[in-house]
Amino acid sequence: MRAPQLGGTHGIALGPGHEVHAQVAGDEEVDVVERLAEYLHLIRTGQRAEWDRRLLDPIPTVSWKGDVVLLSPELADTQAPEYDSFRAGNILEQPLAEILRGAHRLHCVRDFLIGSDRCRAECEFFGFCR
């Protein structure tokens, strides 16, 4: 299953203190099956640290108005005043790389990180799902 990435690969590195570092690279496609195979290979060969260094994809999604949401395409055009409707920025007003660099300031991202920490502590499958 291949999913094209808009404008290249976009990643967020989430460190122990939830530092956020955006990376924008060249155009490429993400292959979920290849990702799973790579994960299994690294885990089985004792290279978990290599897997853990990988950037997380914030799944930037651009709505028809140019609004950018992160974490899930389903959040595009969703009304949630407590999260500013999940809006990270607008692609018509600022570059995507700049929007990603500010991701750590979003309330929805902070809440996601809190939930992610809980999953890390409690779920045996966190290593892959992260």
Side-chain angles (χ1 to χ4, degrees):
M1 168 184 245
R2 291 193 173 278
Q5 297 293 306
L6 293 176
T9 300
H10 309 282
I12 294 181
L14 304 175
H18 300 305
E19 302 88 6
V20 178
H21 306 281
Q23 174 182 328
V24 179
D27 289 331
E28 62 183 63
E29 294 179 335
V30 175
D31 188 331
V32 176
V33 176
E34 284 180 17
R35 182 175 183 266
L36 175 59
E38 183 178 18
Y39 167 77
L40 292 173
H41 170 74
L42 291 173
I43 297 303
R44 289 177 178 164
T45 59
Q47 299 178 65
R48 181 177 193 97
E50 171 62 27
W51 178 259
D52 290 342
R53 281 193 292 274
R54 304 291 167 91
L55 295 177
L56 303 177
D57 188 345
I59 313 171
T61 302
V62 180
S63 77
W64 65 274
K65 298 180 286 189
D67 289 338
V68 177
V69 298
L70 305 176
L71 307 175
S72 176
E74 290 83 7
L75 298 176
D77 296 322
T78 298
Q79 298 302 309
E82 65 275 20
Y83 290 125
D84 189 25
S85 297
F86 303 102
R87 186 179 178 277
N90 188 292
I91 201 78
L92 302 174
E93 299 167 4
Q94 65 189 126
L96 184 58
E98 186 178 318
I99 292 170
L100 290 175
R101 279 192 294 274
H104 65 287
R105 296 183 190 102
L106 300 171
H107 292 174
C108 63
V109 170
R110 283 185 283 205
D111 283 353
F112 170 81
L113 293 173
I114 290 168
S116 180
D117 285 346
R118 184 173 176 193
C119 286
R120 180 188 306 273
E122 299 175 9
C123 182
E124 65 182 296
F125 302 108
F126 176 81
F128 176 71
C129 294
R130 66 177 182 92

PDB file of all heavy atoms in Angstrom, residues 8-27:
ATOM      1  N   GLY A   8       7.109  15.871  -0.433  1.00  0.00           N
ATOM      2  CA  GLY A   8       8.250  15.157   0.120  1.00  0.00           C
ATOM      3  C   GLY A   8       7.919  14.506   1.440  1.00  0.00           C
ATOM      4  O   GLY A   8       6.781  14.393   1.840  1.00  0.00           O
ATOM      5  N   THR A   9       8.968  14.069   2.108  1.00  0.00           N
ATOM      6  CA  THR A   9       8.811  13.410   3.392  1.00  0.00           C
ATOM      7  C   THR A   9       8.870  14.462   4.488  1.00  0.00           C
ATOM      8  O   THR A   9       9.728  15.323   4.479  1.00  0.00           O
ATOM      9  CB  THR A   9       9.958  12.395   3.604  1.00  0.00           C
ATOM     10  OG1 THR A   9       9.885  11.454   2.548  1.00  0.00           O
ATOM     11  CG2 THR A   9       9.830  11.686   4.931  1.00  0.00           C
ATOM     12  N   HIS A  10       7.974  14.360   5.416  1.00  0.00           N
ATOM     13  CA  HIS A  10       7.920  15.308   6.526  1.00  0.00           C
ATOM     14  C   HIS A  10       7.994  14.510   7.803  1.00  0.00           C
ATOM     15  O   HIS A  10       7.247  13.563   7.984  1.00  0.00           O
ATOM     16  CB  HIS A  10       6.626  16.108   6.495  1.00  0.00           C
ATOM     17  CG  HIS A  10       6.371  16.723   5.158  1.00  0.00           C
ATOM     18  ND1 HIS A  10       7.021  17.851   4.752  1.00  0.00           N
ATOM     19  CD2 HIS A  10       5.603  16.320   4.128  1.00  0.00           C
ATOM     20  CE1 HIS A  10       6.626  18.148   3.526  1.00  0.00           C
ATOM     21  NE2 HIS A  10       5.776  17.230   3.121  1.00  0.00           N
ATOM     22  N   GLY A  11       8.894  14.858   8.686  1.00  0.00           N
ATOM     23  CA  GLY A  11       9.020  14.102   9.918  1.00  0.00           C
ATOM     24  C   GLY A  11       9.140  15.009  11.116  1.00  0.00           C
ATOM     25  O   GLY A  11       9.592  16.140  11.015  1.00  0.00           O
ATOM     26  N   ILE A  12       8.727  14.497  12.250  1.00  0.00           N
ATOM     27  CA  ILE A  12       8.892  15.194  13.509  1.00  0.00           C
ATOM     28  C   ILE A  12       9.662  14.259  14.421  1.00  0.00           C
ATOM     29  O   ILE A  12       9.261  13.124  14.625  1.00  0.00           O
ATOM     30  CB  ILE A  12       7.548  15.550  14.177  1.00  0.00           C
ATOM     31  CG1 ILE A  12       6.783  16.564  13.351  1.00  0.00           C
ATOM     32  CG2 ILE A  12       7.773  16.110  15.570  1.00  0.00           C
ATOM     33  CD1 ILE A  12       5.465  16.964  13.964  1.00  0.00           C
ATOM     34  N   ALA A  13      10.766  14.719  14.954  1.00  0.00           N
ATOM     35  CA  ALA A  13      11.510  13.932  15.923  1.00  0.00           C
ATOM     36  C   ALA A  13      11.028  14.359  17.303  1.00  0.00           C
ATOM     37  O   ALA A  13      11.088  15.524  17.656  1.00  0.00           O
ATOM     38  CB  ALA A  13      13.005  14.185  15.779  1.00  0.00           C
ATOM     39  N   LEU A  14      10.512  13.413  18.045  1.00  0.00           N
ATOM     40  CA  LEU A  14      10.018  13.699  19.378  1.00  0.00           C
ATOM     41  C   LEU A  14      10.988  13.105  20.387  1.00  0.00           C
ATOM     42  O   LEU A  14      11.055  11.896  20.539  1.00  0.00           O
ATOM     43  CB  LEU A  14       8.620  13.105  19.576  1.00  0.00           C
ATOM     44  CG  LEU A  14       7.584  13.567  18.558  1.00  0.00           C
ATOM     45  CD1 LEU A  14       6.285  12.835  18.755  1.00  0.00           C
ATOM     46  CD2 LEU A  14       7.372  15.059  18.685  1.00  0.00           C
ATOM     47  N   GLY A  15      11.737  13.955  21.054  1.00  0.00           N
ATOM     48  CA  GLY A  15      12.696  13.479  22.032  1.00  0.00           C
ATOM     49  C   GLY A  15      12.053  13.268  23.386  1.00  0.00           C
ATOM     50  O   GLY A  15      10.857  13.504  23.565  1.00  0.00           O
ATOM     51  N   PRO A  16      12.847  12.837  24.370  1.00  0.00           N
ATOM     52  CA  PRO A  16      12.313  12.562  25.703  1.00  0.00           C
ATOM     53  C   PRO A  16      11.591  13.759  26.303  1.00  0.00           C
ATOM     54  O   PRO A  16      10.594  13.610  26.989  1.00  0.00           O
ATOM     55  CB  PRO A  16      13.559  12.214  26.508  1.00  0.00           C
ATOM     56  CG  PRO A  16      14.576  11.797  25.504  1.00  0.00           C
ATOM     57  CD  PRO A  16      14.259  12.554  24.248  1.00  0.00           C
ATOM     58  N   GLY A  17      12.070  14.964  26.051  1.00  0.00           N
ATOM     59  CA  GLY A  17      11.409  16.168  26.534  1.00  0.00           C
ATOM     60  C   GLY A  17      10.433  16.725  25.528  1.00  0.00           C
ATOM     61  O   GLY A  17       9.961  17.837  25.641  1.00  0.00           O
ATOM     62  N   HIS A  18      10.119  15.950  24.513  1.00  0.00           N
ATOM     63  CA  HIS A  18       9.198  16.310  23.435  1.00  0.00           C
ATOM     64  C   HIS A  18       9.694  17.482  22.609  1.00  0.00           C
ATOM     65  O   HIS A  18       8.936  18.318  22.171  1.00  0.00           O
ATOM     66  CB  HIS A  18       7.796  16.602  23.971  1.00  0.00           C
ATOM     67  CG  HIS A  18       7.186  15.450  24.672  1.00  0.00           C
ATOM     68  ND1 HIS A  18       7.051  14.214  24.102  1.00  0.00           N
ATOM     69  CD2 HIS A  18       6.708  15.336  25.920  1.00  0.00           C
ATOM     70  CE1 HIS A  18       6.501  13.397  24.959  1.00  0.00           C
ATOM     71  NE2 HIS A  18       6.290  14.036  26.071  1.00  0.00           N
ATOM     72  N   GLU A  19      11.032  17.509  22.368  1.00  0.00           N
ATOM     73  CA  GLU A  19      11.552  18.486  21.433  1.00  0.00           C
ATOM     74  C   GLU A  19      11.028  18.119  20.053  1.00  0.00           C
ATOM     75  O   GLU A  19      10.896  16.959  19.723  1.00  0.00           O
ATOM     76  CB  GLU A  19      13.082  18.474  21.404  1.00  0.00           C
ATOM     77  CG  GLU A  19      13.740  18.749  22.732  1.00  0.00           C
ATOM     78  CD  GLU A  19      13.946  17.499  23.565  1.00  0.00           C
ATOM     79  OE1 GLU A  19      13.695  16.384  23.084  1.00  0.00           O
ATOM     80  OE2 GLU A  19      14.342  17.657  24.716  1.00  0.00           O
ATOM     81  N   VAL A  20      10.716  19.116  19.274  1.00  0.00           N
ATOM     82  CA  VAL A  20      10.177  18.850  17.946  1.00  0.00           C
ATOM     83  C   VAL A  20      11.129  19.432  16.914  1.00  0.00           C
ATOM     84  O   VAL A  20      11.498  20.592  16.980  1.00  0.00           O
ATOM     85  CB  VAL A  20       8.774  19.476  17.779  1.00  0.00           C
ATOM     86  CG1 VAL A  20       8.241  19.229  16.391  1.00  0.00           C
ATOM     87  CG2 VAL A  20       7.827  18.916  18.820  1.00  0.00           C
ATOM     88  N   HIS A  21      11.557  18.595  15.991  1.00  0.00           N
ATOM     89  CA  HIS A  21      12.437  19.022  14.914  1.00  0.00           C
ATOM     90  C   HIS A  21      11.791  18.615  13.605  1.00  0.00           C
ATOM     91  O   HIS A  21      11.531  17.437  13.389  1.00  0.00           O
ATOM     92  CB  HIS A  21      13.811  18.365  15.038  1.00  0.00           C
ATOM     93  CG  HIS A  21      14.430  18.573  16.367  1.00  0.00           C
ATOM     94  ND1 HIS A  21      15.046  19.747  16.716  1.00  0.00           N
ATOM     95  CD2 HIS A  21      14.485  17.777  17.461  1.00  0.00           C
ATOM     96  CE1 HIS A  21      15.480  19.661  17.950  1.00  0.00           C
ATOM     97  NE2 HIS A  21      15.157  18.473  18.428  1.00  0.00           N
ATOM     98  N   ALA A  22      11.515  19.564  12.750  1.00  0.00           N
ATOM     99  CA  ALA A  22      10.884  19.246  11.464  1.00  0.00           C
ATOM    100  C   ALA A  22      11.956  18.955  10.429  1.00  0.00           C
ATOM    101  O   ALA A  22      13.015  19.562  10.426  1.00  0.00           O
ATOM    102  CB  ALA A  22      10.033  20.422  11.002  1.00  0.00           C
ATOM    103  N   GLN A  23      11.657  18.021   9.549  1.00  0.00           N
ATOM    104  CA  GLN A  23      12.543  17.691   8.444  1.00  0.00           C
ATOM    105  C   GLN A  23      11.709  17.615   7.179  1.00  0.00           C
ATOM    106  O   GLN A  23      10.662  16.988   7.156  1.00  0.00           O
ATOM    107  CB  GLN A  23      13.203  16.342   8.689  1.00  0.00           C
ATOM    108  CG  GLN A  23      14.019  15.860   7.511  1.00  0.00           C
ATOM    109  CD  GLN A  23      14.605  14.488   7.786  1.00  0.00           C
ATOM    110  OE1 GLN A  23      14.909  14.148   8.903  1.00  0.00           O
ATOM    111  NE2 GLN A  23      14.734  13.708   6.751  1.00  0.00           N
ATOM    112  N   VAL A  24      12.145  18.281   6.148  1.00  0.00           N
ATOM    113  CA  VAL A  24      11.466  18.198   4.858  1.00  0.00           C
ATOM    114  C   VAL A  24      12.505  17.727   3.858  1.00  0.00           C
ATOM    115  O   VAL A  24      13.540  18.350   3.691  1.00  0.00           O
ATOM    116  CB  VAL A  24      10.880  19.563   4.445  1.00  0.00           C
ATOM    117  CG1 VAL A  24      10.202  19.458   3.111  1.00  0.00           C
ATOM    118  CG2 VAL A  24       9.917  20.076   5.507  1.00  0.00           C
ATOM    119  N   ALA A  25      12.245  16.613   3.212  1.00  0.00           N
ATOM    120  CA  ALA A  25      13.194  16.029   2.257  1.00  0.00           C
ATOM    121  C   ALA A  25      12.556  15.956   0.883  1.00  0.00           C
ATOM    122  O   ALA A  25      11.449  16.433   0.678  1.00  0.00           O
ATOM    123  CB  ALA A  25      13.616  14.642   2.740  1.00  0.00           C
ATOM    124  N   GLY A  26      13.235  15.298  -0.044  1.00  0.00           N
ATOM    125  CA  GLY A  26      12.754  15.177  -1.411  1.00  0.00           C
ATOM    126  C   GLY A  26      11.523  14.298  -1.540  1.00  0.00           C
ATOM    127  O   GLY A  26      11.126  13.612  -0.614  1.00  0.00           O
ATOM    128  N   ASP A  27      10.914  14.320  -2.725  1.00  0.00           N
ATOM    129  CA  ASP A  27       9.714  13.519  -2.984  1.00  0.00           C
ATOM    130  C   ASP A  27      10.020  12.033  -2.885  1.00  0.00           C
ATOM    131  O   ASP A  27      11.009  11.558  -3.401  1.00  0.00           O
ATOM    132  CB  ASP A  27       9.171  13.813  -4.388  1.00  0.00           C
ATOM    133  CG  ASP A  27       8.556  15.189  -4.472  1.00  0.00           C
ATOM    134  OD1 ASP A  27       8.065  15.671  -3.443  1.00  0.00           O
ATOM    135  OD2 ASP A  27       8.582  15.773  -5.564  1.00  0.00           O
TER     136      ASP A  27
END
